[in-house]
Structures are given as C-alpha cells and as structure tokens.
Amino acid sequence: MQRTDFGDMACSIARTLDVMGEPWTPLVIRDVFVGMNRFEQIQQDLGISRKVLTERLNHLVERGILERRPYDNRPRYEYHLTDRGAELFDVLMAMVGWGDKWLAGKAGPPVLYRHRACGEVSHVDPRCSRCGEPMHATDIDVMPGPGAAR
Amino acid sequence: MQRTDFGDMACSIARTLDVMGEPWTPLVIRDVFVGMNRFEQIQQDLGISRKVLTERLNHLVERGILERRPYDNRPRYEYHLTDRGAELFDVLMAMVGWGDKWLAGKAGPPVLYRHRACGEVSHVDPRCSRCGEPMHATDIDVMPGPGAAR
DNA sequence: CTAGCGGAGTTCCTTGAGGGAACCCCGACT
DNA sequence: AGTCGGGGTTCCCTCAAGGAACTCCGCTAG
C-alpha cells in the first residue's frame, strides 16, 4: 500500500498518528489498558489477525508505548503501558467523550469511566492549561511555533 | 483489504475510529479547521492522492462531520466543519498535546495554539467533568455501561 | 520417554485499499 | 474557438489486512 509516512511532518497530529494512527492500534492500547496484557487475549477480544497484531505490538514497543515483559520461565510475555503509553490514553478518552456524545444513541454509553479521585462516573472535559476554562476548537487561534517546518 | 468494520463494536473508541480512524482523515479535519476548505488546497497541502481525498471527504460529509457548500455559481465547493465536526477537534487537540510533549524534540512544537479566552499560548488539560481535577489513565476505573454489548 | 497442550508468534495466499498519473466535465475568461 | 482551473473519476500497480495453517518450545500427563 506504500503508506505515506506521517512521522516526518511538522505537525504533532501527524506525528501522533505515526505512533497510534494505524488501524487497530488504538483498540490494542485500550485492551492493554483494561488489563488484557497477553497476545491471545487481545487477539481473541478484537478478532484481529495474528499477523497484524504482532506487527502492531512490535511497533508500539519500538515507539516506547508498550513494554514487553516475560511472565513465566517459559517464553511467555505480557504487554504493559509505559508512562508515555498511559498518557496516550488521554487521546482515547477524548475519543470516548465524543463517541459517547454523538454515537451512543439511546442505549447510552457502552462503557463508563469512574474518576477515582472523586468517585463519580464522569468524562473528560478539555480545559486550558493556563486559565482552566473550557478549551474547544472554536476558542482557539492557531499560530506557527518554534519547531515549524523549514 | 476488507477492513474490519469498527462501527458496530460496543466501544466508543471503536465507533469514533469508524468516523475518523482511517489514514489521512484526522489531517483532513485539521486542514479544514485551519481554513483550507477546498479540494485543491487540501490535496496540495497534504500530498494525498486525489482519489483517497475524495473518498475521505465523502465519508466525512456522510457522517455529518463536514458540510459541502457551493461557493460560486460555477460547480465549486467548500468543506466546512459542522458542530459535531468541530467537537471532534477535541480529539485532535489531545493528539497535539501528546505529540508536543513526547515527539517535538528540542525544536519545540511546530504549531502553537492560543486560547482566545485568556490570550495565552496553551494546551489542553483533560479534567474531570464532575470535580474539575485532572483526569488521566491512572485516575480511572472502567465499568460496563448501559449500552454494553448483549 | 513420548504425546499432547497452549502461548506466542511466523508463513503463505488472496483480496482490496492507497499512491500516482492521466483523463474528464464544465463554466468562465480571452 | 481555445484555454484555464476547480473538482473530481478512471486506471494500473503495489503492498497491507484477513485468515488459515504451520512452527517452536517449555510444561505436564500417561
């Protein structure tokens, strides 16, 4: 398919896609996050082809999103999120927020997320890191930054 | 390639991916957001194949993310974000946050985002919609919701 | 000791999506 | 009448996703 490489673009969206933008990858990260750490579990849960799963897991390990740990003295491995991997989950939570709002229908959200700090079922609310007010597309101006392209 | 359909899964991440998970789609949305509303502009900016761009634009219009507007009495069209499309940008901002933090390197972020409400260059901070405290992967418990699978 | 099992891949074949270039349509200008 | 330019459509080629079969290798049961 000779897919275009997004990693070289001067855009953090493109670069992030280079890490987690391939089909299945976000779902693999979700599975690992909810405690499905082994190859067979993930493969059966998603119904993904074993070949593609191997590829995705290796890619994520290479990029430092997942860590591969032996869990037996047999050659058995578990995959766990690294710190940067866990932070990627912020992106998935944003997807959950949008999907719950626009695609869940009247059945309601398929999965609930409880915020441990306050104990409430909740969702993420993107806020400005400076002033703490809501920060959405319509509240934003875009400007070139220091790492902008040549 | 007979890609698996994510839209039917009982998971808001998968459903959101069904809308914006294909290659190029997030970058198309970004381009439209920053004011590149026409086919030729987007095609040249991204270097995407015209065929794929047509497909992606149609898909996004069908899903109600983009709106196709004539802008001349010639057959010319512009694409604009709908409300639900603009809200999808929350997901892209989460990608920007992660990419800026982990992939920008010492050159710094390629693009800056200014929060119009406070005037500061900033980034999004995911917070709990209930208590307002930070909400990350490590602060969350996952539970089945009303729309869970069969 | 051999047979079988189960986790974790690897190999191989088929199908179809992405890349890329060429082509088409159509209203407007010259 | 000819050309331009936006917005696609068509065609061919390559390579990635699906899916099934196969491999490897330590453990365990007979």
Side-chain angles (χ1 to χ4, degrees), chain B residues 63-140:
Chain B
R63 305 296 168 121
I65 307 304
L66 297 181
E67 199 188 0
R68 191 165 181 265
R69 294 188 198 151
Y71 71 84
D72 198 6
N73 28 10
R74 281 179 274 191
R76 299 292 143 86
Y77 304 96
E78 287 186 333
Y79 294 90
H80 290 267
L81 286 171
T82 61
D83 289 349
R84 54 181 3 205
E87 289 191 23
L88 247 194
F89 205 74
D90 290 356
V91 176
L92 302 195
M93 284 302 296
M95 288 188 196
V96 168
W98 192 87
D100 281 355
K101 174 163 178 181
W102 293 101
L103 306 173
K106 66 175 56 160
V111 178
L112 299 177
Y113 297 82
R114 190 153 49 94
H115 188 217
R116 214 174 284 136
C118 65
E120 299 282 336
V121 167
S122 168
H123 58 88
V124 291
D125 213 10
R127 295 194 163 252
C128 173
S129 62
R130 297 289 198 146
C131 69
E133 293 300 305
M135 188 165 173
H136 296 287
T138 46
D139 311 320
I140 287 171

Side-chain angles (χ1 to χ4, degrees), chain B residues 1-3 24 49 51-52 55-56 74:
Chain B
M1 198 192 293
Q2 123 222 38
R3 183 119 74 208
W24 292 112
S49 131
K51 187 184 61 161
V52 174
E55 248 172 51
R56 296 298 184 267
R74 281 179 274 191

Side-chain angles (χ1 to χ4, degrees), chain A:
Chain A
M1 200 191 293
Q2 123 220 39
R3 186 119 73 208
T4 307
D5 182 17
F6 293 160
D8 297 334
M9 295 182 181
C11 169
S12 285
I13 296 172
R15 291 173 184 166
T16 301
L17 288 172
D18 185 52
V19 173
M20 51 140 319
E22 292 179 288
W24 294 109
T25 297
L27 299 179
V28 170
I29 295 172
R30 176 204 65 178
D31 270 17
V32 172
F33 173 72
V34 301
M36 321 229 328
N37 302 297
R38 302 182 185 175
F39 188 94
E40 295 290 319
Q41 287 179 307
I42 301 171
Q43 194 273 321
Q44 278 167 46
D45 181 59
L46 295 180
I48 183 178
S49 132
R50 309 173 73 77
K51 188 185 62 163
V52 175
L53 179 55
T54 310
E55 248 172 52
R56 296 299 183 265
L57 288 171
N58 290 339
H59 186 244
L60 289 170
V61 169
E62 270 169 35
R63 307 297 168 119
I65 307 304
L66 297 180
E67 197 188 3
R68 192 166 180 264
R69 296 186 196 153
Y71 72 85
D72 198 7
N73 27 11
R74 280 179 272 192
R76 299 296 141 84
Y77 304 95
E78 285 187 335
Y79 294 90
H80 290 268
L81 286 171
T82 61
D83 289 348
R84 55 181 1 204
E87 288 189 24
L88 247 195
F89 206 74
D90 290 356
V91 176
L92 302 195
M93 284 301 296
M95 288 187 194
V96 168
W98 191 88
D100 282 354
K101 174 163 180 182
W102 294 102
L103 305 174
K106 67 173 58 159
V111 178
L112 299 177
Y113 296 82
R114 190 154 49 93
H115 188 215
R116 213 174 283 136
C118 66
E120 298 282 337
V121 167
S122 169
H123 58 87
V124 292
D125 214 8
R127 294 190 165 256
C128 172
S129 63
R130 296 289 197 144
C131 68
E133 293 299 306
M135 187 164 172
H136 296 286
T138 45
D139 311 320
I140 288 171
D141 290 323
V142 177
M143 303 151 36
R150 62 220 80 95

